[in-house]
């Protein structure tokens, strides 16, 4: 059972941001400090990556471990109330992510997925891994 009323829970959920989150701002600051220029709010085939590095033909997605169901992550736990709803919701998020990544790769875009937990664990190596990826021939990288 939820400890909040339906009205309070609805308000709390409405306050969760989808862009401009702390992990996203952290990655943007690292990229800018290293001299990378990027675009925000760009759409590619109706897909909206968090960060687009046009010069490198690369899209960066910064995923929250809970919202995108990061495998084997302590932050990706299903809530104990309304389990059926949350399992369905999180599964759909994950399926949409995979479909979008596949569509972008088919259009010759490179993709970097930065997980929220990796930013918490290894802040400095995130930018180094992104830089290595940009100079490689790989199409996909998870950090």
């Amino acid at each position: 059972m939820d400890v909040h009323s339906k009205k309070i829970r609805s308000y709390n959920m409405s306050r969760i941001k989808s862009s401009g989150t702390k992990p996203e701002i952290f990655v943007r600051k690292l990229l800018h400090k290293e001299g990378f220029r990027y675009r925000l709010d760009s759409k590619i085939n109706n897909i909206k990556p968090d960060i687009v590095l046009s010069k490198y033909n690369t899209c960066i997605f910064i995923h929250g471990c809970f919202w995108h169901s990061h495998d084997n992550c302590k932050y990706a736990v299903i809530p104990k109330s309304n389990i059926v709803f949350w399992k369905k919701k999180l599964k759909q998020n994950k399926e949409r992510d995979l479909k979008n990544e596949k569509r972008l790769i088919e259009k010759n875009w490179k993709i970097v997925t930065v997980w929220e937990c990796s930013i918490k664990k290894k802040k400095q190596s995130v930018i180094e891994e992104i830089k290595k990826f940009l100079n490689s021939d790989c199409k996909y990288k998870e950090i």
Side-chain angles (χ1 to χ4, degrees):
M1 174 110 181
D2 199 350
V3 295
H4 297 293
S5 69
K6 192 171 185 171
K7 185 177 179 180
I8 292 172
R9 176 60 60 209
S10 179
Y11 174 76
N12 288 348
M13 295 304 286
S14 74
R15 306 306 298 158
I16 297 172
K17 299 191 294 184
S18 62
S19 64
T21 61
K22 286 182 183 180
E24 188 177 322
I25 291 170
F26 175 78
V27 173
R28 289 180 357 207
K29 284 182 178 180
L30 285 177
L31 288 168
H32 192 270
K33 185 178 177 184
E34 291 290 325
F36 292 102
R37 298 300 174 251
Y38 51 82
R39 292 196 177 277
L40 305 175
D41 303 321
S42 292
K43 275 191 177 181
I44 304 163
N45 290 7
N46 272 346
I47 299 167
K48 194 173 168 189
D50 296 311
I51 299 169
V52 176
L53 297 165
S54 301
K55 180 179 177 180
Y56 298 93
N57 214 38
T58 300
C59 298
I60 300 177
F61 293 94
I62 293 105
H63 285 337
C65 296
F66 169 74
W67 292 106
H68 297 271
S69 299
H70 190 197
D71 295 329
N72 302 316
C73 178
K74 69 179 182 178
Y75 302 111
V77 291
I78 295 175
K80 292 181 179 160
S81 63
N82 211 356
I83 294 170
V84 174
F85 166 81
W86 282 110
K87 281 186 176 182
K88 181 181 175 192
K89 167 88 173 134
L90 298 173
K91 182 182 178 205
Q92 288 172 339
N93 288 352
K94 197 164 190 161
E95 288 171 353
R96 184 189 63 238
D97 293 340
L98 291 172
K99 183 181 85 174
N100 289 343
E101 290 166 0
K102 183 181 177 190
R103 285 176 48 206
L104 287 169
I105 289 171
E106 286 171 356
K107 296 289 181 182
N108 291 320
W109 283 87
K110 295 169 68 172
I111 299 169
V112 178
T113 300
V114 181
W115 289 99
E116 173 187 21
C117 63
S118 69
I119 293 171
K120 291 178 181 180
K121 290 177 195 170
K122 49 183 182 178
K123 289 185 177 188
Q124 287 305 332
S125 66
V126 169
I127 190 66
E128 296 304 320
E129 290 189 47
I130 291 173
K131 284 170 35 178
K132 271 192 256 179
F133 174 76
L134 293 175
N135 294 316
S136 74
D137 293 331
C138 296
K139 289 286 186 185
Y140 181 79
K141 171 83 174 165
E142 273 193 40
I143 301 172

